[in-house]
């Protein structure tokens, strides 16, 4: 048996924060989520998979663009023509009422807001049960675990589909615990929601495939799906398949001596040309701390002119510099959090919560892009980190703290 597990397609993602792009590159970036879906279907056909699982956030918002809907239908039809079933669910971005009128091809099953199980029999007569649910609203705070049945005795394999993240009841994104999933004795858990690929359990596999295409600067590296194959001893083994046509990258060049503006540009361009191979890379450039700039280069950097000049040199290249950053050199001093670290932790955790942010944002949350920016693209921990960074920059406070975690 062989199947594809993908999630978080975000087909109509707006790619905010990119400015000054050449028109051709802008077109390719906007088309990238659809291009990666097309590649996913190419893979499904080439591998002759038995079925495809799409675990939530197919679209970036509850009201999808007509183009994204039409493009999804075209790709689902290709699978339909090859008689490959598709089981899908809606997530916190593309939540749907149960009576939403989708005219999917006959090969597609879309889960409703109540947990249900569909069964299918593969060409090799393997019986597979697939259990899942969709979001009917932006948040799903109740525990869905109780609705999931134990593994069916007459199924060769049972797979759970769950768009959400680990947590406790009351959390917003269908919270679960790994132990709770393991108790169901399923053979595979196909997760969605976290955009960074990760494995929560090896056997049976509990997997986030990550999103199909990075949507913003912090979603770096290769993106794609999991191709899952059964082994002779009845286990299911996932293998990552890269699909994204545009990749976001953090990159630090090798630079040492003091550099003038022109020397820096030449060295950056040369290194980017040799380092950035296909597919197209959107590069967040971090100059090394050891890199010294002459006065004119320093001025050009601080005014953003260096980045513009570098962007102007990308014609026909495989890379686009999104940002040109240097390590912060702010020496700090007057005040320190260190003595009051615990107090800060408590204040931060109590004040900067998703609920408080939601209350403050109020009706702004009716705008999908603000919901994404304010709530879904940032966890409480990331909000706390953001507030701390602002405080640190503004008041030149010092504090040692590890970075934010991945979410969404
Ligand atoms: Mn998502």
């Amino acid at each position: 048996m062989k199947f594809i597990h993908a999630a978080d397609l975000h087909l109509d993602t707006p790619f905010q924060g990119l400015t000054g792009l050449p028109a051709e590159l802008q077109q390719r970036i906007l088309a990238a989520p659809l291009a990666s879906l097309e590649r996913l279907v190419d893979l499904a056909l080439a591998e002759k998979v038995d079925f495809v699982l799409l675990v939530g956030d197919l679209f970036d918002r509850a009201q999808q663009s007509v183009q994204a809907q039409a493009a999804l239908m075209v790709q689902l039809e290709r699978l339909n023509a090859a008689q490959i079933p598709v089981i899908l669910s809606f997530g916190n971005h593309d939540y749907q009422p149960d009576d939403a009128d989708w005219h999917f091809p006959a090969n597609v099953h879309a889960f409703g807001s109540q947990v249900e199980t569909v069964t299918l029999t593969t060409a090799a007569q393997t019986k597979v049960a697939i259990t899942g649910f969709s979001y009917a609203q932006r948040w799903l705070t109740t525990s869905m675990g109780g609705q999931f049945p134990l593994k069916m005795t007459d199924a060769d394999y049972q797979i759970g589909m769950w768009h959400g993240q680990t947590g406790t009841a009351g959390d917003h994104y269908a919270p679960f615990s790994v132990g709770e999933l393991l108790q169901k004795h399923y053979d595979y858990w196909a997760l969605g929601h976290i955009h960074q690929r990760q494995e929560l359990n090896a056997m049976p596999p509990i997997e986030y495939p990550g999103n199909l295409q990075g949507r913003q600067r912090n979603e770096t590296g290769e993106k794609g799906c999991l191709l899952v194959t059964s082994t002779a001893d009845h286990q299911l083994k996932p293998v990552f398949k890269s699909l994204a046509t545009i990749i976001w990258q953090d990159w630090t060049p090798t630079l040492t001596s003091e550099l003038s503006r022109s020397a820096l540009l030449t060295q950056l361009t040369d290194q980017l040309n040799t380092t950035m191979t296909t597919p197209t890379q959107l590069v967040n450039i971090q100059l090394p701390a050891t890199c010294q700039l002459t006065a004119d280069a320093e001025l050009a950097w601080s005014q953003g002119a260096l980045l513009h000049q570098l962007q102007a040199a990308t014609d026909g290249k495989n890379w686009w510099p999104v940002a040109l950053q240097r390590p912060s050199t702010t020496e700090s001093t007057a005040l320190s959090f260190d003595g009051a670290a615990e107090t800060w932790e408590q204040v931060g955790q109590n004040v900067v919560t998703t609920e408080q942010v939601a209350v403050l944002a109020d009706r702004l949350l009716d705008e999908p892009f603000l919901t994404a920016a304010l709530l879904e693209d940032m966890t409480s921990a990331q909000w706390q980190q953001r507030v701390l960074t602002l405080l640190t920059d503004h008041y030149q406070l010092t504090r040692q703290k590890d970075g934010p975690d991945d979410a969404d």
Side-chain angles (χ1 to χ4, degrees):
M1 182 177 77
K2 200 190 279 186
F3 67 92
I4 281 176
H5 166 202
D8 298 279
L9 285 63
H10 291 264
L11 290 177
D12 41 12
T13 199
F15 288 103
Q16 284 147 344
L18 284 172
T19 53
L21 293 165
E24 181 274 333
L25 180 57
Q26 180 148 23
Q27 282 305 317
R28 271 198 298 132
I29 290 173
L30 287 173
L34 291 172
S36 57
L37 172 61
E38 192 175 346
R39 294 178 71 177
L40 178 141
V41 173
D42 292 345
L43 177 70
L45 298 177
E47 291 285 344
K48 296 186 169 61
V49 298
D50 292 296
F51 53 93
V52 172
L53 308 179
L54 304 176
V55 193
D57 287 3
L58 278 67
F59 301 98
D60 200 54
R61 58 200 78 191
Q63 279 85 37
Q64 305 91 23
S65 72
V66 174
Q67 296 94 316
Q69 284 189 26
L72 174 66
M73 290 299 180
V74 167
Q75 298 308 320
L76 293 175
E77 273 298 353
R78 291 177 65 204
L79 293 168
N80 191 32
Q83 297 187 311
I84 297 175
V86 177
I87 319 295
L88 65 83
S89 63
F90 296 105
N92 57 295
H93 273 254
D94 55 357
Y95 57 92
Q96 296 291 308
D98 277 336
D99 56 1
D101 211 3
W102 288 92
H103 294 281
F104 286 125
N107 62 325
V108 175
H109 179 86
F111 284 122
S113 61
Q114 299 299 306
V115 172
E116 65 177 311
T117 300
V118 294
T119 56
L120 52 88
T121 306
T122 69
Q125 300 303 308
T126 303
K127 191 173 175 193
V128 187
I130 301 165
T131 307
F133 62 91
S134 285
Y135 284 54
Q137 62 284 314
R138 180 184 299 149
W139 289 342
L140 189 41
T141 55
T142 51
S143 170
M144 300 302 282
Q147 286 191 39
F148 273 76
L150 295 175
K151 182 181 174 179
M152 292 164 55
T153 50
D154 59 342
D156 295 308
Y157 294 97
Q158 187 148 358
I159 298 166
M161 284 170 56
W162 192 308
H163 188 94
Q165 63 189 61
T166 55
T168 51
D171 290 352
H172 293 132
Y173 303 112
F176 64 86
S177 71
V178 169
E180 178 184 17
L181 302 190
L182 292 175
Q183 281 169 15
K184 304 295 177 186
H185 301 293
Y186 289 11
D187 302 282
Y188 187 94
W189 282 94
L191 305 181
H193 186 60
I194 302 288
H195 289 184
Q196 180 69 38
R197 182 169 75 252
Q198 56 186 282
E199 180 170 77
L200 300 189
N201 194 65
M203 194 50 61
I206 302 180
E207 307 281 334
Y208 284 107
N211 48 354
L212 273 201
Q213 166 65 54
R215 299 152 67 228
Q216 54 199 18
R217 199 190 284 185
N218 64 358
E219 295 181 354
T220 55
E222 289 191 300
K223 298 288 183 177
C225 69
L226 295 172
L227 178 64
V228 186
T229 312
S230 61
T231 61
D233 56 353
H234 199 79
Q235 295 187 340
L236 295 175
K237 286 264 186 265
V239 174
F240 174 71
K241 295 289 179 181
S242 181
L243 296 172
T245 55
I246 307 265
I247 288 180
W248 300 78
Q249 236 15 306
D250 289 330
W251 177 73
T252 300
T254 310
L255 302 167
T256 46
S257 60
E258 189 182 56
L259 293 166
S260 68
R261 179 174 177 168
S262 62
L264 177 60
L265 279 169
T266 305
Q267 292 199 20
L268 284 176
T269 308
D270 287 351
Q271 289 187 38
L272 282 160
N273 280 339
T274 50
T275 311
M276 301 299 156
T277 52
T278 50
T280 301
Q281 319 264 332
L282 302 177
V283 192
N284 181 31
I285 304 168
Q286 296 274 358
L287 297 183
T290 51
C291 172
Q292 303 288 318
L293 301 182
T294 59
D296 72 316
E298 185 82 40
L299 185 67
W301 173 78
S302 67
Q303 294 177 336
L306 264 176
L307 177 63
H308 280 120
Q309 225 178 329
L310 192 60
Q311 288 174 340
T314 61
D315 201 24
K317 308 287 195 216
N318 227 352
W319 45 269
W320 172 260
V322 176
L324 183 57
Q325 299 178 321
R326 303 178 68 189
S328 169
T329 51
T330 319
E331 292 296 324
S332 66
T333 56
L335 289 162
S336 168
F337 276 134
D338 292 347
E342 265 180 49
T343 310
W344 164 258
E345 286 299 336
Q346 280 177 7
V347 170
Q349 281 164 20
N350 292 330
V351 175
V352 191
T353 64
T354 310
E355 283 78 7
Q356 297 285 9
V357 172
V359 167
L360 286 170
D362 192 32
R363 291 176 56 193
L364 290 175
L365 294 182
D366 293 343
E367 290 292 336
F369 81 94
L370 283 173
T371 306
L374 293 173
L375 295 177
E376 289 154 10
D377 292 339
M378 267 202 284
T379 61
S380 293
Q382 286 169 310
W383 266 108
Q384 286 160 22
Q385 186 66 34
R386 184 74 67 93
V387 171
L388 181 61
T389 304
L390 283 171
L391 283 171
T392 311
D393 288 351
H394 199 75
Y395 296 104
Q396 308 207 337
L397 300 173
T398 58
R399 187 165 173 274
Q400 297 295 318
K401 182 79 179 122
D402 34 309
D405 54 359
D406 297 303
D408 196 353

